[in-house]
Amino acid sequence: MYESLKAYFKNGETAAIIRRWDTDFSGATSMRTCYDSLRLNGHQENVIKKLSHGQYEAVEYRAGNYCLVSFDDEGNAIFHADKMVARGYALNLSGKVKGSAQPTCTRILYDEFLDENGRYLKDELGALRSIVNTIVRKRTNWKVYLMGNTIDMYAPIFQDLRIADKIQGLKPGDTKIFTKKSGLKISLSLVNVNDRITVPNANDYMFDFDDEVSDM
């Protein structure tokens, strides 16, 4: 979240935040407030306020969009609908986002792609590809991040990308990079919860996964 917000204030780049179910964006769920941790981090610092040079102090979710919020002198929140930093997408509603291109999006974050209860969609990778294709169209300046807790390392996406047999034995701090015959790369990192997540050499690999992979 920090890197995506940093990119917004630097270059106007936005993010796409994907969850498996549309209910993840309703009510008082964590996905509605996923930027709140930046308001008060471990250093007792409002990162949003710092990055915006004091102009904004929060990010609020409304009608599918995450937009910046400022406060007037009386402490009343001002929602800036024209300052969208990210847009939310539900994987189970992938067929309903046609035509919703997001030309400023450079980071696509699929959160909680590992489900400890094994509740996956029938064609999860197909749904993800559909959303990604709608967002980026013919652009190439974007990256996809699959983020999840490693309670269970099984996921249909690993099978579809043909890397399920290559993730075994991965330890915290490890990073494995796989390459396909086409030259497209997949990077897999296992990190501690307090570490910054980085995906070195990540590329737009979502549309070519029929060929085999090999270790770099």
Side-chain angles (χ1 to χ4, degrees):
M1 296 304 174
Y2 170 78
E3 292 296 337
S4 67
L5 201 58
K6 184 179 178 180
Y8 174 82
F9 286 116
K10 182 178 181 180
N11 302 315
E13 300 173 11
T14 61
I17 299 174
I18 301 175
R19 285 293 291 263
R20 185 168 287 107
W21 310 107
D22 59 308
T23 52
D24 291 334
F25 294 96
S26 61
T29 66
S30 61
M31 292 316 299
R32 296 181 64 90
T33 59
C34 60
Y35 281 93
D36 282 6
S37 62
L38 297 181
R39 297 182 63 183
L40 190 63
N41 65 14
H43 300 288
Q44 307 299 306
E45 177 183 49
N46 187 325
V47 176
I48 301 172
K49 187 174 183 179
K50 180 180 179 180
L51 290 175
S52 66
H53 301 289
Q55 191 171 2
Y56 306 102
E57 297 187 38
V59 174
E60 184 177 335
Y61 178 85
R62 290 188 190 179
N65 296 329
Y66 293 87
C67 298
L68 291 168
V69 174
S70 62
F71 294 87
D72 62 22
D73 294 337
E74 297 179 355
N76 299 310
I78 303 173
F79 182 83
H80 298 269
D82 61 332
K83 302 297 181 181
M84 185 192 77
V85 300
R87 183 176 294 169
Y89 296 88
L91 206 63
N92 66 316
L93 300 181
S94 61
K96 298 183 179 181
V97 298
K98 297 297 183 182
S100 302
Q102 193 178 337
T104 57
C105 178
T106 58
R107 287 174 172 81
I108 300 171
L109 316 174
Y110 182 12
D111 189 40
E112 300 291 351
F113 84 103
L114 295 172
D115 190 296
E116 61 179 323
N117 297 311
R119 296 170 298 185
Y120 295 100
L121 300 180
K122 185 177 181 180
D123 184 12
E124 188 143 308
L125 187 55
L128 180 60
R129 290 175 64 197
S130 177
I131 292 178
V132 171
N133 187 45
T134 297
I135 293 171
V136 305
R137 300 300 171 87
K138 295 183 179 181
R139 292 188 295 109
T140 59
N141 62 331
W142 52 273
K143 299 177 182 178
V144 175
Y145 299 87
L146 307 181
M147 305 181 298
N149 297 317
T150 54
I151 297 175
D152 184 355
M153 289 295 285
Y154 169 79
I157 285 181
F158 289 152
Q159 302 288 339
D160 293 332
L161 292 176
R162 300 191 179 188
I163 62 171
D165 62 331
K166 297 181 179 295
I167 65 175
Q168 303 304 319
L170 204 64
K171 299 177 181 179
D174 288 349
T175 294
K176 287 186 178 181
I177 301 176
F178 311 110
T179 183
K180 291 171 175 275
K181 292 179 180 179
S182 61
L184 299 179
K185 297 181 180 67
I186 300 173
S187 178
L188 181 66
S189 297
L190 187 62
V191 300
N192 293 317
V193 66
N194 293 321
D195 290 342
R196 177 179 294 182
I197 298 177
T198 59
V199 184
N201 299 320
N203 211 323
D204 44 326
Y205 54 80
M206 296 303 297
F207 303 105
D208 178 20
F209 40 86
D210 291 330
D211 53 347
E212 297 295 332
V213 297
S214 59
D215 295 338
M216 284 192 70

Short mmCIF file of all heavy atoms in Angstrom, two decimals, residues 60-121:
data_model
loop_
_atom_site.label_atom_id
_atom_site.label_comp_id
_atom_site.label_asym_id
_atom_site.label_seq_id
_atom_site.Cartn_x
_atom_site.Cartn_y
_atom_site.Cartn_z
N GLU A 60 -10.18 6.98 1.92
CA GLU A 60 -11.50 6.41 2.23
C GLU A 60 -12.06 5.67 1.02
O GLU A 60 -11.85 6.09 -0.12
CB GLU A 60 -12.47 7.51 2.67
CG GLU A 60 -13.84 6.99 3.11
CD GLU A 60 -14.75 8.10 3.61
OE1 GLU A 60 -14.22 9.14 4.06
OE2 GLU A 60 -15.98 7.93 3.54
N TYR A 61 -12.75 4.58 1.30
CA TYR A 61 -13.35 3.76 0.24
C TYR A 61 -14.82 4.12 0.06
O TYR A 61 -15.60 4.08 1.01
CB TYR A 61 -13.22 2.29 0.59
CG TYR A 61 -13.84 1.34 -0.42
CD1 TYR A 61 -13.14 0.93 -1.54
CD2 TYR A 61 -15.13 0.85 -0.23
CE1 TYR A 61 -13.71 0.06 -2.46
CE2 TYR A 61 -15.72 -0.02 -1.14
CZ TYR A 61 -15.00 -0.41 -2.26
OH TYR A 61 -15.57 -1.27 -3.16
N ARG A 62 -15.20 4.47 -1.16
CA ARG A 62 -16.61 4.75 -1.49
C ARG A 62 -16.88 4.30 -2.92
O ARG A 62 -16.11 4.61 -3.83
CB ARG A 62 -16.94 6.24 -1.38
CG ARG A 62 -16.96 6.82 0.01
CD ARG A 62 -17.49 8.25 -0.03
NE ARG A 62 -17.32 8.94 1.24
CZ ARG A 62 -17.68 10.21 1.45
NH1 ARG A 62 -18.23 10.91 0.44
NH2 ARG A 62 -17.48 10.77 2.63
N ALA A 63 -17.98 3.59 -3.09
CA ALA A 63 -18.47 3.22 -4.43
C ALA A 63 -17.38 2.60 -5.30
O ALA A 63 -17.28 2.90 -6.49
CB ALA A 63 -19.07 4.44 -5.13
N GLY A 64 -16.55 1.76 -4.70
CA GLY A 64 -15.54 1.06 -5.48
C GLY A 64 -14.21 1.76 -5.61
O GLY A 64 -13.25 1.17 -6.13
N ASN A 65 -14.12 3.00 -5.16
CA ASN A 65 -12.88 3.76 -5.30
C ASN A 65 -12.28 4.14 -3.95
O ASN A 65 -13.00 4.44 -2.99
CB ASN A 65 -13.13 5.05 -6.10
CG ASN A 65 -13.55 4.77 -7.52
OD1 ASN A 65 -13.16 3.77 -8.12
ND2 ASN A 65 -14.37 5.66 -8.08
N TYR A 66 -10.94 4.14 -3.90
CA TYR A 66 -10.21 4.63 -2.73
C TYR A 66 -9.72 6.03 -3.06
O TYR A 66 -8.91 6.22 -3.96
CB TYR A 66 -9.01 3.73 -2.43
CG TYR A 66 -9.36 2.33 -1.98
CD1 TYR A 66 -9.57 1.32 -2.91
CD2 TYR A 66 -9.46 2.02 -0.63
CE1 TYR A 66 -9.88 0.02 -2.50
CE2 TYR A 66 -9.77 0.73 -0.21
CZ TYR A 66 -9.98 -0.26 -1.15
OH TYR A 66 -10.29 -1.54 -0.75
N CYS A 67 -10.22 7.02 -2.32
CA CYS A 67 -9.89 8.42 -2.61
C CYS A 67 -9.30 9.11 -1.39
O CYS A 67 -9.53 8.72 -0.24
CB CYS A 67 -11.13 9.17 -3.09
SG CYS A 67 -11.84 8.52 -4.62
N LEU A 68 -8.55 10.16 -1.65
CA LEU A 68 -7.89 10.90 -0.58
C LEU A 68 -8.89 11.73 0.22
O LEU A 68 -9.92 12.18 -0.30
CB LEU A 68 -6.82 11.81 -1.17
CG LEU A 68 -5.60 11.08 -1.74
CD1 LEU A 68 -4.75 12.03 -2.57
CD2 LEU A 68 -4.78 10.44 -0.63
N VAL A 69 -8.55 11.93 1.48
CA VAL A 69 -9.40 12.69 2.40
C VAL A 69 -8.54 13.73 3.12
O VAL A 69 -7.43 13.44 3.56
CB VAL A 69 -10.05 11.76 3.45
CG1 VAL A 69 -10.81 12.58 4.50
CG2 VAL A 69 -11.00 10.77 2.77
N SER A 70 -9.08 14.95 3.21
CA SER A 70 -8.45 15.99 4.00
C SER A 70 -9.43 16.42 5.09
O SER A 70 -10.57 15.95 5.13
CB SER A 70 -8.08 17.20 3.12
OG SER A 70 -9.25 17.77 2.55
N PHE A 71 -8.99 17.28 6.00
CA PHE A 71 -9.84 17.73 7.09
C PHE A 71 -9.79 19.25 7.17
O PHE A 71 -8.73 19.87 7.01
CB PHE A 71 -9.37 17.12 8.42
CG PHE A 71 -9.55 15.62 8.48
CD1 PHE A 71 -8.56 14.77 7.99
CD2 PHE A 71 -10.70 15.08 9.01
CE1 PHE A 71 -8.73 13.40 8.05
CE2 PHE A 71 -10.88 13.70 9.06
CZ PHE A 71 -9.89 12.86 8.58
N ASP A 72 -10.97 19.85 7.41
CA ASP A 72 -11.00 21.31 7.54
C ASP A 72 -10.57 21.70 8.95
O ASP A 72 -10.21 20.86 9.78
CB ASP A 72 -12.39 21.85 7.20
CG ASP A 72 -13.49 21.33 8.13
OD1 ASP A 72 -13.17 20.89 9.25
OD2 ASP A 72 -14.67 21.36 7.73
N ASP A 73 -10.62 23.00 9.23
CA ASP A 73 -10.13 23.51 10.51
C ASP A 73 -10.95 23.00 11.69
O ASP A 73 -10.45 23.00 12.83
CB ASP A 73 -10.14 25.04 10.50
CG ASP A 73 -9.14 25.62 9.51
OD1 ASP A 73 -8.17 24.90 9.17
OD2 ASP A 73 -9.33 26.76 9.06
N GLU A 74 -12.16 22.56 11.43
CA GLU A 74 -13.02 22.06 12.50
C GLU A 74 -12.95 20.54 12.63
O GLU A 74 -13.68 19.94 13.42
CB GLU A 74 -14.46 22.50 12.27
CG GLU A 74 -14.63 24.02 12.30
CD GLU A 74 -16.06 24.45 12.05
OE1 GLU A 74 -16.89 23.56 11.76
OE2 GLU A 74 -16.35 25.65 12.16
N GLY A 75 -12.09 19.92 11.83
CA GLY A 75 -11.92 18.48 11.92
C GLY A 75 -12.89 17.67 11.08
O GLY A 75 -12.96 16.45 11.22
N ASN A 76 -13.65 18.33 10.21
CA ASN A 76 -14.60 17.62 9.35
C ASN A 76 -13.88 17.04 8.14
O ASN A 76 -13.05 17.71 7.51
CB ASN A 76 -15.70 18.58 8.88
CG ASN A 76 -16.50 19.15 10.03
OD1 ASN A 76 -16.97 18.41 10.90
ND2 ASN A 76 -16.65 20.47 10.05
N ALA A 77 -14.18 15.79 7.83
CA ALA A 77 -13.53 15.11 6.71
C ALA A 77 -14.06 15.62 5.38
O ALA A 77 -15.27 15.82 5.21
CB ALA A 77 -13.75 13.61 6.82
N ILE A 78 -13.15 15.81 4.43
CA ILE A 78 -13.51 16.23 3.07
C ILE A 78 -13.06 15.14 2.11
O ILE A 78 -11.86 14.89 1.95
CB ILE A 78 -12.84 17.57 2.70
CG1 ILE A 78 -13.21 18.65 3.71
CG2 ILE A 78 -13.24 17.99 1.29
CD1 ILE A 78 -12.46 19.95 3.52
N PHE A 79 -14.01 14.46 1.49
CA PHE A 79 -13.73 13.37 0.57
C PHE A 79 -13.48 13.92 -0.83
O PHE A 79 -14.32 14.60 -1.40
CB PHE A 79 -14.92 12.40 0.54
CG PHE A 79 -14.73 11.20 -0.34
CD1 PHE A 79 -14.04 10.08 0.10
CD2 PHE A 79 -15.27 11.18 -1.63
CE1 PHE A 79 -13.88 8.96 -0.71
CE2 PHE A 79 -15.11 10.08 -2.44
CZ PHE A 79 -14.42 8.97 -1.98
N HIS A 80 -12.30 13.63 -1.39
CA HIS A 80 -11.93 14.15 -2.71
C HIS A 80 -12.13 13.05 -3.76
O HIS A 80 -11.22 12.25 -4.04
CB HIS A 80 -10.49 14.62 -2.70
CG HIS A 80 -10.22 15.75 -1.74
ND1 HIS A 80 -10.33 17.08 -2.10
CD2 HIS A 80 -9.90 15.74 -0.41
CE1 HIS A 80 -10.05 17.84 -1.05
NE2 HIS A 80 -9.79 17.06 -0.02
N ALA A 81 -13.32 13.03 -4.36
CA ALA A 81 -13.65 11.99 -5.34
C ALA A 81 -12.77 12.05 -6.57
O ALA A 81 -12.62 11.05 -7.29
CB ALA A 81 -15.12 12.12 -5.73
N ASP A 82 -12.17 13.20 -6.84
CA ASP A 82 -11.31 13.36 -8.01
C ASP A 82 -9.86 12.97 -7.72
O ASP A 82 -9.00 13.08 -8.59
CB ASP A 82 -11.37 14.80 -8.52
CG ASP A 82 -10.89 15.81 -7.49
OD1 ASP A 82 -11.02 15.54 -6.28
OD2 ASP A 82 -10.38 16.88 -7.88
N LYS A 83 -9.59 12.52 -6.51
CA LYS A 83 -8.24 12.11 -6.12
C LYS A 83 -8.25 10.61 -5.79
O LYS A 83 -8.00 10.20 -4.67
CB LYS A 83 -7.75 12.92 -4.92
CG LYS A 83 -7.72 14.44 -5.15
CD LYS A 83 -6.73 14.82 -6.26
CE LYS A 83 -6.70 16.33 -6.45
NZ LYS A 83 -5.77 16.72 -7.55
N MET A 84 -8.52 9.79 -6.79
CA MET A 84 -8.58 8.35 -6.60
C MET A 84 -7.18 7.76 -6.65
O MET A 84 -6.46 7.92 -7.63
CB MET A 84 -9.44 7.70 -7.69
CG MET A 84 -9.65 6.20 -7.49
SD MET A 84 -10.36 5.40 -8.94
CE MET A 84 -8.90 5.30 -10.01
N VAL A 85 -6.81 7.04 -5.60
CA VAL A 85 -5.48 6.41 -5.56
C VAL A 85 -5.56 4.93 -5.93
O VAL A 85 -4.55 4.32 -6.30
CB VAL A 85 -4.85 6.56 -4.16
CG1 VAL A 85 -4.68 8.03 -3.82
CG2 VAL A 85 -5.66 5.86 -3.08
N ALA A 86 -6.75 4.34 -5.81
CA ALA A 86 -6.91 2.92 -6.14
C ALA A 86 -8.38 2.62 -6.39
O ALA A 86 -9.26 3.38 -5.99
CB ALA A 86 -6.38 2.03 -5.02
N ARG A 87 -8.60 1.49 -7.05
CA ARG A 87 -9.96 1.02 -7.32
C ARG A 87 -10.07 -0.44 -6.88
O ARG A 87 -9.13 -1.21 -7.03
CB ARG A 87 -10.29 1.14 -8.81
CG ARG A 87 -11.72 0.73 -9.19
CD ARG A 87 -11.97 0.99 -10.66
NE ARG A 87 -11.95 2.42 -10.95
CZ ARG A 87 -11.92 2.92 -12.19
NH1 ARG A 87 -11.87 2.12 -13.24
NH2 ARG A 87 -11.92 4.22 -12.38
N GLY A 88 -11.20 -0.77 -6.29
CA GLY A 88 -11.41 -2.13 -5.81
C GLY A 88 -12.13 -3.00 -6.83
O GLY A 88 -13.04 -2.53 -7.51
N TYR A 89 -11.72 -4.27 -6.92
CA TYR A 89 -12.33 -5.22 -7.85
C TYR A 89 -12.58 -6.55 -7.12
O TYR A 89 -11.71 -7.02 -6.37
CB TYR A 89 -11.42 -5.49 -9.05
CG TYR A 89 -11.15 -4.30 -9.93
CD1 TYR A 89 -10.09 -3.44 -9.65
CD2 TYR A 89 -11.94 -4.04 -11.05
CE1 TYR A 89 -9.83 -2.35 -10.45
CE2 TYR A 89 -11.68 -2.95 -11.86
CZ TYR A 89 -10.62 -2.11 -11.56
OH TYR A 89 -10.36 -1.02 -12.36
N ALA A 90 -13.74 -7.14 -7.34
CA ALA A 90 -14.06 -8.44 -6.77
C ALA A 90 -13.91 -9.50 -7.86
O ALA A 90 -14.49 -9.38 -8.93
CB ALA A 90 -15.48 -8.45 -6.22
N LEU A 91 -13.14 -10.54 -7.56
CA LEU A 91 -12.86 -11.56 -8.56
C LEU A 91 -14.13 -12.30 -9.00
O LEU A 91 -14.28 -12.65 -10.16
CB LEU A 91 -11.85 -12.56 -8.00
CG LEU A 91 -10.97 -13.30 -9.01
CD1 LEU A 91 -10.09 -12.32 -9.77
CD2 LEU A 91 -10.10 -14.34 -8.30
N ASN A 92 -15.06 -12.51 -8.06
CA ASN A 92 -16.27 -13.24 -8.41
C ASN A 92 -17.22 -12.42 -9.28
O ASN A 92 -18.21 -12.95 -9.81
CB ASN A 92 -17.01 -13.72 -7.16
CG ASN A 92 -17.56 -12.58 -6.32
OD1 ASN A 92 -16.88 -11.58 -6.09
ND2 ASN A 92 -18.79 -12.72 -5.85
N LEU A 93 -16.92 -11.14 -9.47
CA LEU A 93 -17.72 -10.28 -10.35
C LEU A 93 -16.92 -9.84 -11.57
O LEU A 93 -17.19 -8.80 -12.16
CB LEU A 93 -18.21 -9.05 -9.58
CG LEU A 93 -19.10 -9.30 -8.36
CD1 LEU A 93 -19.51 -7.97 -7.73
CD2 LEU A 93 -20.34 -10.11 -8.73
N SER A 94 -15.94 -10.65 -11.94
CA SER A 94 -15.04 -10.27 -13.04
C SER A 94 -15.78 -10.00 -14.34
O SER A 94 -15.36 -9.18 -15.15
CB SER A 94 -13.98 -11.34 -13.26
OG SER A 94 -14.58 -12.58 -13.62
N GLY A 95 -16.89 -10.69 -14.56
CA GLY A 95 -17.64 -10.51 -15.80
C GLY A 95 -18.38 -9.20 -15.88
O GLY A 95 -18.92 -8.85 -16.93
N LYS A 96 -18.41 -8.44 -14.77
CA LYS A 96 -19.15 -7.18 -14.74
C LYS A 96 -18.26 -5.95 -14.80
O LYS A 96 -18.75 -4.83 -14.66
CB LYS A 96 -20.00 -7.12 -13.47
CG LYS A 96 -21.06 -8.21 -13.38
CD LYS A 96 -21.93 -8.06 -12.15
CE LYS A 96 -22.99 -9.14 -12.10
NZ LYS A 96 -23.88 -9.00 -10.92
N VAL A 97 -16.97 -6.14 -15.01
CA VAL A 97 -16.08 -4.99 -15.05
C VAL A 97 -15.63 -4.65 -16.47
O VAL A 97 -14.70 -3.91 -16.67
CB VAL A 97 -14.83 -5.20 -14.16
CG1 VAL A 97 -15.24 -5.37 -12.71
CG2 VAL A 97 -14.02 -6.38 -14.65
N LYS A 98 -16.27 -5.22 -17.45
CA LYS A 98 -15.92 -4.92 -18.84
C LYS A 98 -16.07 -3.43 -19.11
O LYS A 98 -17.04 -2.80 -18.72
CB LYS A 98 -16.81 -5.72 -19.80
CG LYS A 98 -16.64 -7.23 -19.68
CD LYS A 98 -15.24 -7.66 -20.05
CE LYS A 98 -15.08 -9.17 -20.01
NZ LYS A 98 -13.71 -9.61 -20.33
N GLY A 99 -15.10 -2.88 -19.79
CA GLY A 99 -15.16 -1.47 -20.14
C GLY A 99 -14.62 -0.55 -19.07
O GLY A 99 -14.58 0.65 -19.25
N SER A 100 -14.18 -1.12 -17.92
CA SER A 100 -13.70 -0.31 -16.81
C SER A 100 -12.18 -0.15 -16.86
O SER A 100 -11.48 -0.50 -15.92
CB SER A 100 -14.11 -0.93 -15.47
OG SER A 100 -15.50 -1.07 -15.39
N ALA A 101 -11.67 0.35 -17.96
CA ALA A 101 -10.22 0.53 -18.09
C ALA A 101 -9.72 1.52 -17.03
O ALA A 101 -10.42 2.45 -16.65
CB ALA A 101 -9.88 1.04 -19.48
N GLN A 102 -8.51 1.30 -16.55
CA GLN A 102 -7.90 2.16 -15.55
C GLN A 102 -6.52 2.55 -16.07
O GLN A 102 -5.51 1.98 -15.71
CB GLN A 102 -7.80 1.42 -14.21
CG GLN A 102 -7.48 2.31 -13.02
CD GLN A 102 -7.46 1.52 -11.72
OE1 GLN A 102 -8.06 0.46 -11.61
NE2 GLN A 102 -6.74 2.02 -10.73
N PRO A 103 -6.47 3.55 -16.95
CA PRO A 103 -5.23 3.87 -17.68
C PRO A 103 -4.06 4.30 -16.81
O PRO A 103 -2.92 4.24 -17.26
CB PRO A 103 -5.67 4.99 -18.62
CG PRO A 103 -6.89 5.57 -17.99
CD PRO A 103 -7.59 4.43 -17.34
N THR A 104 -4.32 4.74 -15.58
CA THR A 104 -3.23 5.17 -14.71
C THR A 104 -2.75 4.07 -13.78
O THR A 104 -1.83 4.28 -12.97
CB THR A 104 -3.66 6.39 -13.86
OG1 THR A 104 -4.82 6.03 -13.10
CG2 THR A 104 -3.97 7.59 -14.75
N CYS A 105 -3.34 2.89 -13.87
CA CYS A 105 -3.00 1.79 -12.97
C CYS A 105 -1.70 1.10 -13.37
O CYS A 105 -1.57 0.63 -14.50
CB CYS A 105 -4.14 0.77 -12.93
SG CYS A 105 -3.79 -0.66 -11.88
N THR A 106 -0.75 1.03 -12.45
CA THR A 106 0.52 0.34 -12.71
C THR A 106 0.76 -0.81 -11.73
O THR A 106 1.67 -1.61 -11.94
CB THR A 106 1.70 1.32 -12.61
OG1 THR A 106 1.70 1.93 -11.31
CG2 THR A 106 1.60 2.40 -13.69
N ARG A 107 -0.03 -0.88 -10.67
CA ARG A 107 0.10 -1.95 -9.68
C ARG A 107 -1.25 -2.64 -9.47
O ARG A 107 -2.23 -1.98 -9.14
CB ARG A 107 0.61 -1.40 -8.34
CG ARG A 107 2.06 -1.02 -8.34
CD ARG A 107 2.44 -0.35 -7.01
NE ARG A 107 3.87 -0.14 -6.89
CZ ARG A 107 4.52 0.87 -7.45
NH1 ARG A 107 3.86 1.76 -8.17
NH2 ARG A 107 5.84 1.00 -7.31
N ILE A 108 -1.27 -3.94 -9.67
CA ILE A 108 -2.47 -4.73 -9.47
C ILE A 108 -2.21 -5.68 -8.31
O ILE A 108 -1.35 -6.55 -8.40
CB ILE A 108 -2.85 -5.50 -10.74
CG1 ILE A 108 -3.10 -4.51 -11.89
CG2 ILE A 108 -4.09 -6.36 -10.51
CD1 ILE A 108 -3.26 -5.16 -13.24
N LEU A 109 -2.93 -5.50 -7.22
CA LEU A 109 -2.68 -6.23 -5.98
C LEU A 109 -3.81 -7.19 -5.72
O LEU A 109 -4.92 -6.78 -5.38
CB LEU A 109 -2.53 -5.24 -4.81
CG LEU A 109 -1.69 -3.98 -5.05
CD1 LEU A 109 -1.77 -3.05 -3.86
CD2 LEU A 109 -0.25 -4.35 -5.35
N TYR A 110 -3.55 -8.49 -5.85
CA TYR A 110 -4.55 -9.50 -5.52
C TYR A 110 -4.29 -9.95 -4.09
O TYR A 110 -3.37 -10.71 -3.82
CB TYR A 110 -4.48 -10.68 -6.50
CG TYR A 110 -5.51 -11.76 -6.25
CD1 TYR A 110 -6.58 -11.56 -5.38
CD2 TYR A 110 -5.43 -12.99 -6.89
CE1 TYR A 110 -7.52 -12.55 -5.14
CE2 TYR A 110 -6.36 -13.98 -6.67
CZ TYR A 110 -7.40 -13.76 -5.79
OH TYR A 110 -8.33 -14.75 -5.56
N ASP A 111 -5.09 -9.46 -3.17
CA ASP A 111 -4.89 -9.70 -1.75
C ASP A 111 -5.58 -10.99 -1.30
O ASP A 111 -6.69 -11.29 -1.75
CB ASP A 111 -5.42 -8.52 -0.95
CG ASP A 111 -5.05 -8.59 0.52
OD1 ASP A 111 -3.91 -8.98 0.84
OD2 ASP A 111 -5.91 -8.27 1.37
N GLU A 112 -4.92 -11.73 -0.40
CA GLU A 112 -5.46 -12.98 0.14
C GLU A 112 -5.77 -14.00 -0.96
O GLU A 112 -6.82 -14.63 -0.95
CB GLU A 112 -6.72 -12.71 0.98
CG GLU A 112 -6.48 -11.80 2.17
CD GLU A 112 -5.63 -12.43 3.26
OE1 GLU A 112 -5.36 -13.65 3.17
OE2 GLU A 112 -5.22 -11.71 4.18
N PHE A 113 -4.85 -14.15 -1.90
CA PHE A 113 -5.10 -15.11 -2.97
C PHE A 113 -4.98 -16.55 -2.49
O PHE A 113 -5.45 -17.48 -3.15
CB PHE A 113 -4.16 -14.85 -4.16
CG PHE A 113 -2.80 -15.46 -4.04
CD1 PHE A 113 -2.48 -16.62 -4.74
CD2 PHE A 113 -1.82 -14.88 -3.23
CE1 PHE A 113 -1.23 -17.19 -4.64
CE2 PHE A 113 -0.56 -15.44 -3.14
CZ PHE A 113 -0.26 -16.60 -3.84
N LEU A 114 -4.35 -16.76 -1.32
CA LEU A 114 -4.33 -18.07 -0.69
C LEU A 114 -5.47 -18.14 0.32
O LEU A 114 -5.58 -17.28 1.19
CB LEU A 114 -2.99 -18.29 0.02
CG LEU A 114 -1.74 -18.38 -0.85
CD1 LEU A 114 -0.49 -18.40 0.03
CD2 LEU A 114 -1.79 -19.60 -1.75
N ASP A 115 -6.31 -19.15 0.20
CA ASP A 115 -7.46 -19.29 1.09
C ASP A 115 -7.26 -20.51 1.98
O ASP A 115 -7.16 -21.64 1.48
CB ASP A 115 -8.76 -19.43 0.29
CG ASP A 115 -9.99 -19.33 1.17
OD1 ASP A 115 -10.18 -20.20 2.04
OD2 ASP A 115 -10.77 -18.38 0.98
N GLU A 116 -7.22 -20.30 3.28
CA GLU A 116 -6.95 -21.39 4.21
C GLU A 116 -8.04 -22.44 4.22
O GLU A 116 -7.81 -23.59 4.62
CB GLU A 116 -6.75 -20.85 5.62
CG GLU A 116 -7.95 -20.12 6.20
CD GLU A 116 -7.71 -19.63 7.61
OE1 GLU A 116 -7.03 -20.35 8.37
OE2 GLU A 116 -8.18 -18.53 7.93
N ASN A 117 -9.23 -22.08 3.75
CA ASN A 117 -10.35 -23.02 3.71
C ASN A 117 -10.57 -23.62 2.33
O ASN A 117 -11.52 -24.37 2.12
CB ASN A 117 -11.64 -22.34 4.19
CG ASN A 117 -11.55 -21.89 5.63
OD1 ASN A 117 -11.17 -22.67 6.50
ND2 ASN A 117 -11.90 -20.63 5.89
N GLY A 118 -9.70 -23.26 1.38
CA GLY A 118 -9.80 -23.83 0.04
C GLY A 118 -11.00 -23.35 -0.76
O GLY A 118 -11.44 -24.03 -1.68
N ARG A 119 -11.50 -22.17 -0.45
CA ARG A 119 -12.67 -21.64 -1.16
C ARG A 119 -12.22 -20.81 -2.36
O ARG A 119 -12.12 -19.59 -2.30
CB ARG A 119 -13.53 -20.80 -0.21
CG ARG A 119 -14.13 -21.59 0.93
CD ARG A 119 -14.76 -20.67 1.96
NE ARG A 119 -13.75 -19.79 2.55
CZ ARG A 119 -14.01 -18.94 3.56
NH1 ARG A 119 -15.23 -18.85 4.05
NH2 ARG A 119 -13.04 -18.18 4.04
N TYR A 120 -11.94 -21.51 -3.45
CA TYR A 120 -11.48 -20.84 -4.67
C TYR A 120 -12.58 -20.84 -5.72
O TYR A 120 -13.47 -21.70 -5.71
CB TYR A 120 -10.24 -21.55 -5.21
CG TYR A 120 -9.04 -21.47 -4.29
CD1 TYR A 120 -8.70 -22.54 -3.47
CD2 TYR A 120 -8.26 -20.31 -4.24
CE1 TYR A 120 -7.60 -22.46 -2.62
CE2 TYR A 120 -7.16 -20.23 -3.39
CZ TYR A 120 -6.84 -21.31 -2.58
OH TYR A 120 -5.76 -21.22 -1.75
N LEU A 121 -12.50 -19.90 -6.64
CA LEU A 121 -13.43 -19.86 -7.76
C LEU A 121 -13.12 -21.00 -8.73
O LEU A 121 -12.00 -21.51 -8.76
CB LEU A 121 -13.34 -18.51 -8.48
CG LEU A 121 -13.65 -17.27 -7.64
CD1 LEU A 121 -13.51 -16.02 -8.50
CD2 LEU A 121 -15.03 -17.35 -7.03
#
